[in-house]
Every structure is written in C-alpha cells, then in structure tokens.
Amino acid sequence: MKALLICVIVLVAGGPSAWAQGDAAGVPWSQLTPGEQQLLQRFGDTWDQLPPRKQQRLRNGAQQWGTMTPEERQEAKQRFKQWRSLPPEQQEQLRERYQQFRQLPPEQRESVRDARRWFRSLPPEQRKELREKFKNMSPDERRAYRRELRRQYGGTGGGQAPGRSSAP
C-alpha cells in the first residue's frame, strides 16, 4: 500500500526529480537505504525484475516520502485516496495532462506551479466560485479571464496569479 502510495505521490506531485532516469542496469536492492527498503518492501522479492526507470521512480518516491512532514504525508494519503476513487478514464486523462505539463519549457512549468500555488492560497469558497465560473466559460473567455487575473494580481511572479496554462 505504501509503495503504491509513493508511486501516486510521484505522479501527482509532479516532482521533476522523481522522473529522473536511473542507469541502464537499475538500482540493486542492496544499494537502497534501510528506510527505502522498508517503504518499498512490497517490491523486495521482484525488485530485480522491475524496469530500471520504475526502480528509480519508486526510489525517488521513497526518498520524497522520507522528507515529508506528518502533515504532508497525511495530505498525500488523502490525495491517494481521491486518486483511487477516480474512474480509470479520469486517471488516464490526468496522466496525459501530466505528460503535457512535463513537455512544457521550464519557465512555463514554473508559471503553472505559481498559478497552482496562488489558487491553493485562496479560501475554499473562492476556489469553488472560480472553478464554477471557469467551467462555464468558452476558451476565448477563459483566455481573457486569465489575462484579467494576471493584470489584477500583478502577473505570475511570486505565485500571485494564474499562468497561461493553468486552470482553476
């Protein structure tokens, strides 16, 4: 369960380091730290059969999990629970959107992250209101609305207003 949680955290959190390639030979189980081995124990018997990229993603996820505060871990568990409750089609859509995000230039990815931080800093009622408003707009209205938010909140620097690629 924890190992699967780590995989989802890596997918959902979007940490670029979590997608780093390992070497072609993979990571031997013996080179994992005891903490990593404990978190990944579910994979212990089959570790050597896993593709190197999956080994590296799991290892990076375990390392990321190890640096989280208890509050961050609780939030990650909640996100995982939400992820599991999504229909497979929606999970696939999110995976595709994440791949699109990863293909953006670094400055655009940062702009999206800034927009997300800005949006999450809003009170829940305001986030809900913005989601509803945004959902009922045409693509042209959405573009104009984003421009207005950037103008109103001073651009995308410092996590203030949504970027071009972000949606509330």
Side-chain angles (χ1 to χ4, degrees), residues 125-139:
E125 312 80 48
Q126 193 174 358
R127 287 195 308 251
K128 183 178 180 182
E129 181 182 316
L130 285 173
R131 276 190 193 104
E132 287 302 314
K133 186 174 183 176
F134 199 81
K135 187 169 66 172
N136 295 320
M137 293 179 178
S138 71

Side-chain angles (χ1 to χ4, degrees), residues 1-2 4-6 8-10 13 33-36 38-39 60-82 120:
M1 174 72 175
K2 281 186 181 180
L4 189 53
L5 175 62
I6 291 167
V8 171
I9 290 169
V10 168
T33 67
E36 291 168 346
Q38 182 181 1
L39 284 171
N60 289 339
Q63 290 169 347
Q64 198 172 16
W65 183 262
T67 64
M68 290 180 173
T69 66
E71 294 80 22
E72 290 170 328
R73 288 180 181 181
Q74 188 59 39
E75 185 179 326
K77 287 178 184 178
Q78 183 60 34
R79 284 195 314 262
F80 178 65
K81 186 177 178 183
Q82 289 172 333
R120 291 193 58 145

Side-chain angles (χ1 to χ4, degrees), residues 91-152:
Q91 288 180 5
E92 184 58 32
Q93 181 184 31
L94 289 171
R95 283 186 196 101
E96 288 171 8
R97 288 178 69 193
Y98 180 67
Q99 285 305 316
Q100 291 171 352
F101 170 79
R102 287 194 13 85
Q103 292 173 0
L104 293 173
E107 53 281 348
Q108 278 187 304
R109 285 194 308 256
E110 191 56 36
S111 177
V112 170
R113 286 185 186 108
D114 285 345
R116 185 171 189 271
R117 282 188 285 269
W118 172 80
F119 185 74
R120 291 193 58 145
S121 73
L122 298 174
E125 312 80 48
Q126 193 174 358
R127 287 195 308 251
K128 183 178 180 182
E129 181 182 316
L130 285 173
R131 276 190 193 104
E132 287 302 314
K133 186 174 183 176
F134 199 81
K135 187 169 66 172
N136 295 320
M137 293 179 178
S138 71
D140 288 338
E141 290 172 324
R142 288 177 182 174
R143 277 189 286 279
Y145 187 59
R146 283 190 196 106
R147 279 193 300 274
E148 174 60 25
L149 286 173
R150 280 192 295 272
R151 187 191 62 73
Q152 184 178 352

